[in-house]
Amino acid sequence: MSSLSATHPPKGLEGIVATTSRICYIDGDRGILAYRGIDIHELADHSTFEEVCYLLWFGKLPSRSELQDLRSRLAKERTLDPAILDFLRKAPKNALPMDVLRTAVSALSFYDADEKANDHDANVRKAVRLTSQMAMIVAAYDRIRKGQQVVEPNPSLSHAANFLLMLTGEKPSPTAERAFDIALILHADHELNASTFAARVTAATLSDMHSASTSAIGALKGPLHGGANEAAFRILETIAKAGADPVDHVRGMLAQKKKIPGFGHRVYHTEDPRATHLRQMSRELGASSGQEQWFEMSRRIEQLLNTEKKLNANVDFYSASTYHVLGIDLDLFTPIFAVSRISGWAAHVIEQLDDNRLIRPRADYIGPAYPQKYVPIDRR
Amino acid sequence: MSSLSATHPPKGLEGIVATTSRICYIDGDRGILAYRGIDIHELADHSTFEEVCYLLWFGKLPSRSELQDLRSRLAKERTLDPAILDFLRKAPKNALPMDVLRTAVSALSFYDADEKANDHDANVRKAVRLTSQMAMIVAAYDRIRKGQQVVEPNPSLSHAANFLLMLTGEKPSPTAERAFDIALILHADHELNASTFAARVTAATLSDMHSASTSAIGALKGPLHGGANEAAFRILETIAKAGADPVDHVRGMLAQKKKIPGFGHRVYHTEDPRATHLRQMSRELGASSGQEQWFEMSRRIEQLLNTEKKLNANVDFYSASTYHVLGIDLDLFTPIFAVSRISGWAAHVIEQLDDNRLIRPRADYIGPAYPQKYVPIDRR
């Protein structure tokens, strides 16, 4: 018996509009993704992650001086309170990087100059700060757990190059920097994906940016969301280790009714436009580094799923082989997704708070009919 | 221009059913709240928090031995890894307790024996563990920030009594223990409130219980949700300090179009049944402790808002004066809400994962029409 006369949408709020938004346009039938109306293909071809941050946070492309100003602000915020570095040093060396990132971002609130402010301008400052700090946390924890020195940030580098420097200890090649910058652009926002929605639900109680970002990281961790890029590469790795045929292996998974991570998407009914770029990057980086096997394996799996299951690769499938060829550890794939997506989370939190209403749906109660008797313990 | 043919519900998903659930029944028109079909008034009169935990997690009232077993498990989990205590000691003494709690719960994942398991039984174990640990974290941090010794847990005490012991250093009176136990019962669950919804959105990516609980704490912090009990008491305090008339003061706030925290509720159109109990507790505890003024002030404010604004007190309004008379610091009111609500969050996460689907709604795009040109930087 339902107690609610409310609308009863499909499970998982599929197709339900939870809010209006001016940030991200998706046409799932035509395979279109655009930030503030600008097509993702144009941004991937011509823009930078810093410019995309500006676009997401301020609603327009920056002038040269506006862009320079944001780059300076991001570079200036490349600093972590010593207590955060101490926390990273004391975290168990086998802790999951996503758990460490979630905890460290939550702890950043203690040291944020704007912790008690929740107005628009304070939240833009927090967006800048969190974008710089999250990249540093991911890179620093990876080095610490490997027993390496934390690398000092370089304020003259782009966000992408500085992250790769802090991760690897070496200034990246222009090819690697650009590839990583494009990956950051492609992952920056995607409308009301689950982590962004978790961030907006959190912020809509008038809670703060750190709480919202912490929620988002927790949601991104799941294998039905950001965790899929890591899960996708684990399959490639299993196939490579076993020397198996990728098509046979994936056919075997399908026969066991297993989901293949990196395929299918709630919103796209055609190719995810981000997959188009990542496929090309995976191919090019594989060829230039002499590691073609990951791309080739991926391509065969994709063709199988296209043909036999009518499933398209999503953003996670080719980011897996791309990140691997860039020399990034498997369990950093999802943290790196977060390093980019903080730009979108912050934009959505700011938009939510600019015109807020508590996000509080209902559940349809299907449990024991009301009223059940409270039976005293002696008579149970 | 809307790109979606989807249903367009009111803002904040008001009245939209996001899931079915067997946990909590609410009839907002008749002022009914029930856990697993059992009326909250019966539970508040006859039950204990431990029994309510069993009811929420296992779907039925426990037998005597089942209840004893859960009490033992909860008592056994009254332990924190030394690294968590170390973190609490190093957190800045002026950090917000909700920020500390959110961070510490996130960090608990590093030390959880089931961190990598996400099955039903593992999540029940995590529910037990988190319920014991969160109470300890709130009490321990409060003592640490005041320069006091952390109090050892006492496994022979109830959850309520052990928390008050660890907070104050003294075994509570039976009256205080029972009052606090009832407060825990009343706050244990409330269907898809914003923090529980944040927990379910997070868990639905197949992320884990610690991520979901961390999201929930972040959402609870906001003054439109759990933060309202703290905000409500701040008003009483302001009135008391100024020696003002409560009715005049609140009239002044209304004239400035300020919201009065602790009044009105998205779901109830009549009295929140939890307010009925908390009003009585506030009155009785006030009388027995010679601190009637908080109840009397609250009552006059309530009558004003009932009469002139047709607004009813919700769970947060009388919990404020109740907690104050119990000797609890203002900024612990919301953490204490979390100490109870973890029971409901965990029940919802377990239910979500037992029959999961990703929670991923859509946004209706109202930004710059697609496609906007990417104008090169020299021509902006």
Side-chain angles (χ1 to χ4, degrees):
Chain A
M1 179 203 67
S2 165
S3 66
L4 285 173
S5 53
T7 333
H8 222 182
K11 256 178 106 167
L13 291 177
E14 181 165 4
I16 291 295
V17 171
T19 184
T20 54
S21 176
R22 297 174 194 276
I23 300 172
C24 193
Y25 172 80
I26 300 177
D27 183 329
D29 296 323
R30 293 192 293 158
I32 294 169
L33 167 62
Y35 302 158
R36 305 282 186 185
I38 304 176
D39 195 280
I40 193 68
H41 296 302
E42 291 224 57
L43 293 168
D45 287 343
H46 304 299
S47 190
T48 61
F49 179 65
E50 287 87 337
E51 190 173 73
V52 164
C53 287
Y54 192 98
L55 179 65
L56 291 171
W57 299 338
F58 299 98
K60 66 172 191 80
L61 289 170
S63 69
R64 196 177 287 280
S65 68
E66 286 164 337
L67 180 60
Q68 191 42 52
D69 180 55
L70 181 60
R71 290 182 62 125
S72 309
R73 287 174 68 185
L74 283 162
K76 222 183 107 205
E77 296 291 358
R78 283 179 198 150
T79 169
L80 290 175
D81 190 280
I84 299 291
L85 283 168
D86 187 55
F87 158 76
L88 295 176
R89 290 204 176 91
K90 296 219 168 110
K93 299 290 168 282
N94 62 348
L96 299 177
M98 280 302 274
D99 290 348
V100 172
L101 179 63
R102 186 188 63 227
T103 309
V105 166
S106 180
L108 283 175
S109 65
F110 305 155
Y111 310 104
D112 195 285
D114 290 303
E115 162 56 5
K116 276 161 196 167
N118 207 11
D119 59 281
H120 182 100
D121 292 346
N123 282 325
V124 172
R125 291 193 294 275
K126 291 184 198 182
V128 174
R129 230 172 261 146
L130 278 165
T131 300
S132 290
Q133 291 168 329
M134 280 176 56
M136 291 181 73
I137 288 166
V138 172
Y141 176 66
D142 187 55
R143 295 196 60 92
I144 289 167
R145 67 177 176 163
K146 290 176 176 159
Q148 299 167 333
Q149 283 279 318
V150 173
V151 178
E152 285 297 310
N154 179 340
S156 72
L157 295 184
S158 70
H159 191 73
N162 182 67
F163 174 76
L164 293 174
L165 167 73
M166 289 189 70
L167 187 71
T168 64
E170 284 170 30
K171 227 179 117 174
S173 71
T175 313
E177 176 183 353
R178 183 62 191 149
F180 193 70
D181 200 36
I182 293 173
L184 292 177
I185 293 169
L186 295 174
H187 286 83
D189 195 56
H190 207 251
E191 201 220 44
L192 286 198
N193 58 92
S195 57
T196 302
F197 187 50
R200 288 187 80 130
V201 170
T202 302
T205 69
L206 299 181
S207 190
D208 62 294
M209 179 73 84
H210 287 85
S211 291
S213 306
T214 304
S215 296
I217 294 166
L220 189 72
K221 183 187 169 191
L224 294 189
H225 190 14
N229 57 13
E230 181 179 332
F233 196 78
R234 283 198 195 283
I235 292 172
L236 301 184
E237 210 178 36
T238 305
I239 294 169
K241 276 191 188 150
D245 179 80
V247 168
D248 289 348
H249 183 86
V250 172
R251 264 197 227 281
M253 289 180 69
L254 291 172
Q256 292 169 62
K257 306 226 178 283
K258 286 191 183 157
K259 270 191 87 161
I260 315 298
F263 284 88
H265 195 281
R266 170 78 61 93
V267 174
Y268 293 112
H269 307 119
T270 179
E271 176 155 302
D272 180 336
R274 300 166 298 178
T276 319
H277 284 270
L278 287 160
R279 185 190 295 111
Q280 192 184 327
M281 274 167 65
S282 170
R283 180 195 290 123
E284 289 173 5
L285 288 171
S288 67
S289 67
Q291 296 183 69
E292 289 96 343
Q293 72 272 31
W294 304 109
F295 173 76
E296 281 162 18
M297 211 185 286
S298 302
R299 190 75 186 121
R300 288 191 59 207
I301 294 170
E302 185 187 24
Q303 282 163 343
L304 171 73
L305 289 165
N306 280 173
T307 319
E308 299 195 7
K309 291 279 157 186
K310 307 271 174 249
L311 281 173
N312 292 300
N314 62 36
V315 68
D316 298 308
F317 187 61
Y318 282 106
S319 68
S321 46
T322 299
Y323 291 155
H324 178 72
V325 172
L326 282 171
I328 294 168
D329 279 8
L330 187 51
D331 62 359
L332 295 186
F333 291 6
T334 315
I336 281 173
F337 192 154
V339 162
S340 164
R341 185 59 58 86
I342 179 60
S343 60
W345 293 334
H348 279 271
V349 168
I350 292 166
E351 183 180 70
Q352 178 69 35
L353 293 175
D354 280 347
D355 181 24
N356 188 56
R357 187 150 201 252
L358 182 74
I359 301 173
R360 202 287 183 208
R362 294 299 308 271
D364 186 19
Y365 181 70
I366 56 165
Y370 176 85
Q372 294 290 307
K373 269 224 170 84
Y374 178 86
V375 179
I377 197 158
D378 292 326
R379 280 186 269 144
R380 285 179 206 154
Chain B
M1 181 202 65
S2 165
S3 64
L4 287 172
S5 54
T7 334
H8 221 183
K11 253 176 109 166
L13 291 176
E14 180 166 3
I16 291 295
V17 171
T19 186
T20 54
S21 176
R22 298 174 193 278
I23 300 171
C24 192
Y25 172 78
I26 301 178
D27 182 331
D29 295 323
R30 294 192 293 157
I32 294 169
L33 167 62
Y35 302 158
R36 305 283 187 184
I38 305 177
D39 196 281
I40 192 71
H41 296 302
E42 291 224 59
L43 294 168
D45 287 343
H46 305 299
S47 190
T48 61
F49 180 64
E50 287 86 340
E51 189 173 72
V52 164
C53 287
Y54 192 99
L55 180 65
L56 292 171
W57 300 338
F58 299 98
K60 66 173 189 82
L61 288 171
S63 69
R64 196 177 288 279
S65 69
E66 287 165 336
L67 181 59
Q68 190 42 51
D69 181 55
L70 181 60
R71 289 181 63 123
S72 308
R73 288 174 67 184
L74 283 162
K76 221 183 106 206
E77 296 291 358
R78 284 180 197 147
T79 168
L80 289 175
D81 191 280
I84 299 290
L85 283 168
D86 187 55
F87 158 76
L88 296 176
R89 289 203 177 90
K90 295 217 170 113
K93 298 291 167 281
N94 62 349
L96 299 177
M98 280 301 276
D99 290 348
V100 171
L101 179 63
R102 187 188 62 227
T103 309
V105 166
S106 180
L108 284 175
S109 64
F110 305 154
Y111 310 103
D112 196 285
D114 291 303
E115 161 57 6
K116 276 161 197 168
N118 207 10
D119 58 283
H120 183 99
D121 292 346
N123 282 324
V124 172
R125 290 193 294 275
K126 291 184 197 182
V128 174
R129 228 170 264 147
L130 278 165
T131 301
S132 289
Q133 290 168 329
M134 279 175 57
M136 292 182 71
I137 288 166
V138 172
Y141 176 66
D142 188 53
R143 296 197 59 93
I144 289 167
R145 67 177 178 164
K146 290 174 175 160
Q148 298 167 334
Q149 283 278 319
V150 172
V151 178
E152 285 298 310
N154 179 339
S156 72
L157 295 184
S158 71
H159 190 74
N162 182 66
F163 175 76
L164 293 174
L165 167 73
M166 291 189 68
L167 187 71
T168 64
E170 284 170 31
K171 226 178 119 177
S173 70
T175 314
E177 177 183 353
R178 182 63 190 148
F180 193 70
D181 201 35
I182 294 174
L184 292 177
I185 293 169
L186 296 174
H187 286 83
D189 195 55
H190 208 252
E191 202 220 43
L192 286 198
N193 59 92
S195 57
T196 302
F197 187 50
R200 288 186 81 129
V201 170
T202 301
T205 69
L206 299 181
S207 190
D208 63 296
M209 180 72 84
H210 287 87
S211 291
S213 307
T214 304
S215 296
I217 294 166
L220 189 72
K221 183 187 170 191
L224 295 188
H225 189 13
N229 57 14
E230 181 178 334
F233 196 79
R234 283 196 195 284
I235 292 172
L236 301 183
E237 209 177 37
T238 305
I239 294 169
K241 275 192 187 148
D245 179 80
V247 169
D248 289 350
H249 183 85
V250 172
R251 265 199 226 281
M253 288 180 70
L254 292 172
Q256 292 169 60
K257 306 225 179 284
K258 286 192 183 155
K259 270 191 87 161
I260 314 298
F263 284 88
H265 196 281
R266 169 79 60 93
V267 174
Y268 293 113
H269 306 119
T270 178
E271 176 157 302
D272 180 336
R274 301 166 297 179
T276 318
H277 285 271
L278 287 160
R279 184 190 297 110
Q280 193 184 325
M281 275 168 62
S282 169
R283 181 196 287 121
E284 289 172 5
L285 287 170
S288 67
S289 67
Q291 296 183 69
E292 290 97 342
Q293 71 272 29
W294 305 109
F295 173 75
E296 282 163 18
M297 212 185 285
S298 300
R299 192 73 186 122
R300 289 191 59 206
I301 294 170
E302 185 186 24
Q303 284 164 340
L304 171 74
L305 290 165
N306 280 174
T307 321
E308 298 195 7
K309 291 279 157 185
K310 307 271 175 250
L311 282 172
N312 292 301
N314 63 35
V315 69
D316 298 308
F317 187 61
Y318 281 106
S319 67
S321 45
T322 299
Y323 291 156
H324 179 71
V325 172
L326 282 171
I328 293 168
D329 280 7
L330 186 51
D331 62 359
L332 296 186
F333 291 6
T334 314
I336 281 174
F337 192 154
V339 162
S340 163
R341 185 59 58 88
I342 179 61
S343 58
W345 293 334
H348 279 272
V349 168
I350 291 167
E351 183 180 70
Q352 178 70 36
L353 292 175
D354 280 347
D355 181 24
N356 188 57
R357 186 151 200 253
L358 182 74
I359 301 173
R360 202 288 186 210
R362 294 298 310 269
D364 185 21
Y365 181 71
I366 56 165
Y370 176 86
Q372 293 290 307
K373 267 223 170 84
Y374 179 86
V375 179
I377 197 157
D378 292 327
R379 280 184 272 142
R380 286 178 205 155

